[in-house]
Amino acid sequence: MKHLLLFFFAICLLPNLAQSKFEWPVIPLPNQYQLKSGSFLLSSKTQVFFTSRKLENSYDNLNVYLKQQLGFNLSRSNDSTQANCVVLQLRSASLQSAEAYTLNITANKILIQGDTSGIFYGIQTLKQLINADTKSQIQLPCLSIQDQPRFTWRGMHLDVCRHFFPTSFIKRYIDFLAMYKMNTFHWHLTEDQGWRIEIKKYPNLTKVGAFRKGSMVGKYSDSKFDTLNYGGYYTQEEVKEIVAYAQARQITVVPEIEMPGHSQAAISAYPWLSCSGKAQDVAKGWGVFEDVFCSKDSTYHFLTDVLDEVMALFPGKYIHIGGDECPKTRWKTCTQCQALIQREHLKDEHALQSYFITRIEKYVNAKGKQIIGWDEILEGGLAPNAAVMSWRGEDGGIAAAKQNHKVVMSPGSHCYFDHYQASPGDEPLAIGGFTPLEKVYAYNPIPKSLNAQEAQYIMGAQANVWTEYILNEKHVEYMSMPRMAALAEVLWTNVENKNEANFLKRLQKHFALLDKMQVNYAKGIYQVNYKVRNDVKGNDVYLELLANPYLGEIRFTRDGSDPRMESEKYTAPIALTGNIQIKAALFQDGKIKSRILVRNFDNNKATNKNLIFTKEPSKYYNAGHFVMVNGESASLPRMNDQWLGWSGDDMEVVLDLKQVEQMQQIEIGFLKEELNWIYLPREVQVFVSQDGKLYTPVGHLASAEIVDERHAIFKLAPTKARYIKVLAKNKGKIVAGMPGAGEDAWLFCDEIKVK
Ligand code: ACM
Ligand code: ZN
């Protein structure tokens, strides 16, 4: 009996055994299913039976897919009992939600039941099952699926302002969402760099505000611009077409009309909307701009007029009003804004922002709609009915849920698809960050700090695709796919049913469909990543190679040759000695799947030695002291975990070599990214000591002497020392005219080398 019980518990404890068996390329994974024996033969002779006109969209959606993939359509039948038939049956009452569906495949019949949206989702599952085989006669496995989503807000955002995308691409993007059973498309339509929606009452918004006289080129820190006229907008007819296209695919379009900040394009069209009233150009560069909507009656009239037209176009419940990143500079010196602060007894400009949003909310609510805004709308007090989109981490979403406000999670850490998804050196230029597919897949939109009652306010999550660095359609696809697939499973599939290994198995098969659809998806999942580690007991430094174990094995070389299947298999961290180059790649079934990772290490006298800082680096840029003595210079573009940074403070550090050493060169790496507030030191001084008490100066360099604006190199006469002190003087306050003027400059250091 005891043994039987143990056996029983052992079975219960086996994780996701049943789920991990589902290996057809269906994404997101259905929540419940039973696999059966036998198969249904789908061919051009198969027919479809349904009676309700509400199901025509689903039928068309299936046929468009079949035509594209297999070259035939299925005709309609008027007999539900006919053999070899797909039956779509409206049946909502017994299902848990309007989005739930059941799909039963038997040898004779495919039966999909649900509400209109449920049946559409059943069709999506069926389409993905069909992709499991590419012959003209498709054998579909007999099975039974009962499925419903975990969250009600399953969203993707697209910024069409920094770069503009035609309606043909918006439809393709919506097709991607539909394929993954996403139900919300957040269309970011207005920005500093362009107003993209026709508003009949204010034609200059698109005539003037939709075009800029140049765009930023390359890295923000390069501060380079072209002079090309750039822009575009959607007519109201096109907007209606997109809304209808989305609706037919069970997707609600949430328009975003940004206020009070990110409004320079509107101001360029109607300068009286700003505090100064001065003429402005549509912004060419990225960032946050100080000219924002003035909080005066004429602005509110304008905005409510705009919202009237917007609300008439978008039938959904939510209107996104932005609310993020609104500098208060202009409001502080504006007589009209200040008069309003007085009249309404507001505490300050933050309270004025809250007043702004609340006043707009009242208007939107009166028209039967709700507002949603970025988490800054919490500052100065949340408008009574507003929903919050949490982007600066989850704190805003947590605070809102605790105040019984609806929340959509979209934290930068997991949901910003403009971030890198593999090592930046191998990727197209991106805004920064690091959000690989595995990280997206691991996301849980319900924070641990919420209790069950509070958690009910989390409607779901969405990913944001900001397009400062995304110039064309293929690049949007690259940044959003396949991360969209991972997010879709986060939002649809219950946590207990998720399984990364199984997801990756299905995903790799699903790639065949993306290939057929000519989707430019990223292959970063195969990337080999690395970490340099130290052995705190001894002096050794190791290179740890990292790749997803479900995707293959790592092979590497130490002699500069390219890794092959016959090369050494990576099993444990590699000891790094002297000057060494490691090349590594991922292999699956004997084939190379990744780009080759190349890392150079320069093991020197400073490597893995102790650093004692007078002032520790800022908590925001402190990846640990070891990054400064790991033998490896940071790569560019910057990854924050390779740097230590100080805001306003000097870097003063003593390097203890543990014993007196002979040396001839000391090299220290710094970073210049002035547009991001990071400056080279004003001056670098180096001192040496044998006892740690008496220090002798051995050199100093001015900013201009830093080689390639990157390395301060001190060539010494042969010197003996145990301690090296480096004093790098911070630039101080940022001068007028530069981003961050008046604020403390940052000082960034990546490496000290002693030879
Ligand atoms: C945002 O990323 N500024 C919402
Ligand atoms: Zn003003």
Side-chain angles (χ1 to χ4, degrees):
M1 184 64 198
K2 208 168 162 192
H3 289 286
L4 251 182
L5 260 181
L6 267 178
F7 177 70
F8 178 72
F9 283 126
I11 285 184
C12 292
L13 289 172
L14 283 175
N16 292 330
L17 188 64
Q19 296 297 345
S20 63
K21 278 193 185 149
F22 195 104
E23 291 180 3
W24 282 276
V26 176
I27 296 172
L29 180 73
N31 274 306
Q32 284 169 282
Y33 58 81
Q34 296 87 43
L35 305 177
K36 301 188 172 157
S37 57
S39 59
F40 176 99
L41 202 65
L42 186 131
S43 72
S44 55
K45 297 196 184 70
T46 305
Q47 291 195 309
V48 183
F49 172 85
F50 63 96
T51 52
S52 170
R53 291 201 57 191
K54 287 200 241 169
L55 302 181
E56 276 168 10
N57 285 328
S58 284
Y59 171 60
D60 291 346
N61 189 267
L62 175 63
N63 263 344
V64 167
Y65 181 85
L66 289 173
K67 188 82 188 166
Q68 277 169 0
Q69 299 300 322
L70 305 170
F72 61 76
N73 280 333
L74 301 186
S75 59
R76 270 182 85 165
S77 158
N78 49 19
D79 175 8
S80 68
T81 61
Q82 177 190 320
N84 198 248
C85 190
V86 180
V87 176
L88 311 180
Q89 193 174 76
L90 275 180
R91 193 204 66 176
S92 54
S94 63
L95 295 170
Q96 289 171 23
S97 80
E99 295 188 303
Y101 70 92
T102 61
L103 166 65
N104 284 291
I105 303 181
T106 56
N108 223 355
K109 182 171 171 176
I110 296 178
L111 174 63
I112 302 177
Q113 294 173 303
D115 213 339
T116 317
S117 50
I119 286 180
F120 183 80
Y121 295 139
I123 292 285
Q124 302 318 304
T125 301
L126 179 63
K127 281 160 58 182
Q128 293 188 344
L129 283 169
I130 290 168
N131 174 52
D133 200 324
T134 53
K135 296 180 213 71
S136 58
Q137 284 211 331
I138 314 296
Q139 293 217 342
L140 294 172
C142 288
L143 50 69
S144 170
I145 288 175
Q146 307 83 42
D147 203 10
Q148 65 289 312
R150 181 177 174 209
F151 290 105
T152 56
W153 186 298
R154 303 184 301 279
M156 284 298 302
H157 148 291
L158 183 64
D159 168 14
V160 295
C161 300
R162 274 55 175 263
H163 286 99
F164 179 72
F165 305 95
T167 53
S168 56
F169 181 71
I170 302 299
K171 287 179 182 174
R172 183 166 160 92
Y173 194 70
I174 287 172
D175 284 341
F176 298 157
L177 271 72
M179 168 167 68
Y180 297 132
K181 305 186 177 89
M182 303 286 240
N183 65 359
T184 307
F185 170 47
H186 173 171
W187 204 3
H188 183 78
L189 286 165
T190 74
E191 256 303 338
D192 299 305
Q193 297 83 3
W195 183 284
R196 305 268 176 246
I197 175 170
E198 178 191 25
I199 300 296
K200 305 234 190 234
K201 192 159 183 184
Y202 297 98
N204 279 0
L205 283 173
T206 43
K207 200 167 148 212
V208 176
F211 299 91
R212 58 180 184 252
K213 296 177 189 137
S215 306
M216 204 162 215
V217 179
K219 289 201 302 272
Y220 182 79
S221 53
D222 292 345
S223 193
K224 291 211 176 80
F225 297 85
D226 65 29
T227 53
L228 303 172
N229 194 36
Y230 184 92
Y233 65 91
Y234 308 100
T235 64
Q236 293 203 352
E237 283 313 304
E238 287 173 319
V239 169
K240 284 182 202 160
E241 193 183 313
I242 291 297
V243 167
Y245 190 87
Q247 223 164 20
R249 287 157 183 76
Q250 303 302 322
I251 290 167
T252 303
V253 186
V254 176
E256 181 177 355
I257 307 296
E258 273 263 18
M259 60 189 83
H262 287 295
S263 44
Q264 194 166 311
I267 290 168
S268 75
Y270 298 102
W272 51 264
L273 289 167
S274 75
C275 290
S276 74
K278 283 198 199 118
Q280 294 279 343
D281 278 340
V282 178
K284 295 184 202 167
W286 321 133
V288 172
F289 296 85
E290 300 204 318
D291 283 294
V292 301
F293 287 133
C294 177
S295 185
K296 61 192 169 199
D297 285 344
S298 52
T299 309
Y300 291 108
H301 285 149
F302 164 83
L303 286 171
T304 52
D305 285 344
V306 167
L307 288 170
D308 279 345
E309 293 192 31
V310 169
M311 288 188 282
L313 288 166
F314 294 90
K317 175 173 165 187
Y318 285 102
I319 302 292
H320 201 302
I321 48 75
D324 61 319
E325 299 179 321
C326 179
K328 311 295 185 288
T329 331
R330 299 288 185 259
W331 291 356
K332 282 187 181 152
T333 55
C334 168
T335 48
Q336 301 191 77
C337 288
Q338 290 303 317
L340 197 141
I341 286 178
Q342 294 276 315
R343 195 179 77 217
E344 297 291 331
H345 308 294
L346 302 174
K347 186 163 148 265
D348 56 14
E349 290 76 23
H350 293 287
L352 182 59
Q353 156 126 352
S354 174
Y355 170 89
F356 199 116
I357 302 295
T358 303
R359 186 159 161 180
I360 293 294
E361 179 185 72
K362 237 185 231 162
Y363 187 80
V364 171
N365 286 171
K367 304 272 167 170
K369 305 249 186 204
Q370 299 285 338
I371 65 161
I372 183 164
W374 301 109
D375 57 57
E376 284 93 332
I377 66 171
L378 281 148
E379 291 165 9
L382 201 48
N385 305 311
V388 170
M389 194 167 267
S390 193
W391 73 280
R392 297 175 303 173
E394 292 188 318
D395 290 354
I398 291 168
K402 285 182 186 288
Q403 294 172 42
N404 298 353
H405 282 255
K406 292 272 175 72
V407 171
V408 174
M409 285 297 188
S410 195
S413 55
H414 294 77
C415 294
Y416 267 47
F417 289 0
D418 54 341
H419 287 179
Y420 286 105
Q421 53 196 316
S423 24
D426 299 327
E427 289 291 301
L429 180 67
I431 198 162
F434 187 55
T435 309
L437 180 104
E438 295 88 336
K439 193 170 179 190
V440 177
Y441 191 76
Y443 186 54
N444 185 348
I446 306 277
K448 286 199 174 67
S449 58
L450 295 183
N451 65 33
Q453 188 267 337
E454 292 158 347
Q456 288 178 9
Y457 287 94
I458 310 291
M459 293 192 281
Q462 74 173 37
N464 299 329
V465 182
W466 300 103
T467 57
E468 287 94 333
Y469 296 89
I470 303 178
L471 277 62
N472 56 51
E473 300 168 14
K474 286 286 156 209
H475 198 178
V476 174
E477 293 183 9
Y478 186 86
M479 298 308 276
S480 51
M481 307 284 262
R483 289 187 284 192
M484 194 192 292
L487 183 68
E489 192 146 313
V490 165
L491 292 169
W492 183 280
T493 309
N494 295 339
V495 177
E496 63 275 17
N497 295 336
K498 278 173 65 198
N499 177 304
E500 189 188 335
N502 172 260
F503 170 70
L504 290 170
K505 248 187 203 152
R506 282 177 286 119
L507 182 68
Q508 291 186 87
K509 291 181 192 168
H510 173 70
F511 283 163
L513 174 60
L514 298 186
D515 286 332
K516 278 189 262 172
M517 292 166 69
Q518 297 183 315
V519 178
N520 183 37
Y521 59 95
K523 314 224 173 28
I525 55 167
Y526 296 112
Q527 196 68 22
V528 176
N529 290 309
Y530 74 98
K531 273 207 160 63
V532 188
R533 299 207 175 277
N534 61 337
D535 169 359
V536 281
K537 280 182 246 138
N539 295 323
D540 295 335
V541 179
Y542 297 92
L543 178 67
E544 185 182 2
L545 296 176
L546 305 152
N548 195 310
Y550 307 123
L551 296 175
E553 59 189 30
I554 301 171
R555 303 268 166 178
F556 72 99
T557 64
R558 309 162 191 263
D559 62 2
S561 64
D562 285 350
R564 293 173 304 139
M565 194 52 205
E566 297 72 33
S567 306
E568 199 173 338
K569 182 173 167 176
Y570 176 81
T571 52
I574 307 158
L576 300 170
T577 47
N579 242 318
I580 183 169
Q581 183 177 66
I582 304 284
K583 287 187 170 183
L586 187 79
F587 291 79
Q588 187 188 71
D589 301 330
K591 286 197 210 91
I592 187 162
K593 297 293 282 186
S594 69
R595 296 195 188 101
I596 296 173
L597 172 80
V598 183
R599 300 312 306 175
N600 296 302
F601 296 91
D602 183 4
N603 208 319
N604 62 86
K605 293 186 168 109
T607 306
N608 203 18
K609 299 300 189 313
N610 255 357
L611 294 170
I612 303 126
F613 291 99
T614 306
K615 177 138 201 206
E616 284 294 318
S618 152
K619 65 176 178 182
Y620 299 110
Y621 297 100
N622 187 357
H625 295 180
F626 177 61
V627 299
M628 235 167 88
V629 285
N630 64 6
E632 194 197 29
S633 293
S635 44
L636 294 175
R638 165 168 52 100
M639 287 288 279
N640 288 335
D641 62 1
Q642 297 179 329
W643 297 88
L644 302 184
W646 289 262
S647 173
D649 295 313
D650 298 336
M651 176 182 89
E652 185 174 340
V653 61
V654 172
L655 169 67
D656 177 0
L657 302 177
K658 295 187 192 164
Q659 63 188 32
V660 172
E661 298 266 13
Q662 176 96 19
M663 64 195 70
Q664 311 180 41
Q665 180 166 316
I666 299 169
E667 183 184 316
I668 307 144
F670 296 102
L671 186 64
K672 180 177 169 180
E673 264 183 40
E674 295 188 350
L675 293 179
N676 290 327
W677 307 17
I678 304 166
Y679 285 74
L680 291 174
R682 273 187 291 130
E683 188 186 9
V684 189
Q685 299 172 7
V686 177
F687 308 83
V688 297
S689 167
Q690 298 216 357
D691 60 5
K693 294 184 187 108
L694 193 66
Y695 279 92
T696 316
V698 289
H700 60 92
L701 292 173
S703 220
E705 295 172 288
I706 295 178
V707 178
D708 296 333
E709 300 181 329
R710 184 74 178 81
H711 294 107
I713 299 173
F714 296 88
K715 301 238 186 249
L716 315 180
T719 302
K720 282 188 166 171
R722 172 174 166 174
Y723 301 93
I724 297 166
K725 184 190 282 186
V726 179
L727 175 59
K729 297 254 177 85
N730 190 296
K731 169 85 176 168
K733 295 285 178 208
I734 297 173
V735 298
M738 292 300 290
E743 304 285 343
D744 289 332
W746 284 87
L747 172 70
F748 271 46
C749 181
D750 67 323
E751 195 70 18
I752 300 185
K753 291 181 182 174
V754 177
K755 291 176 186 170

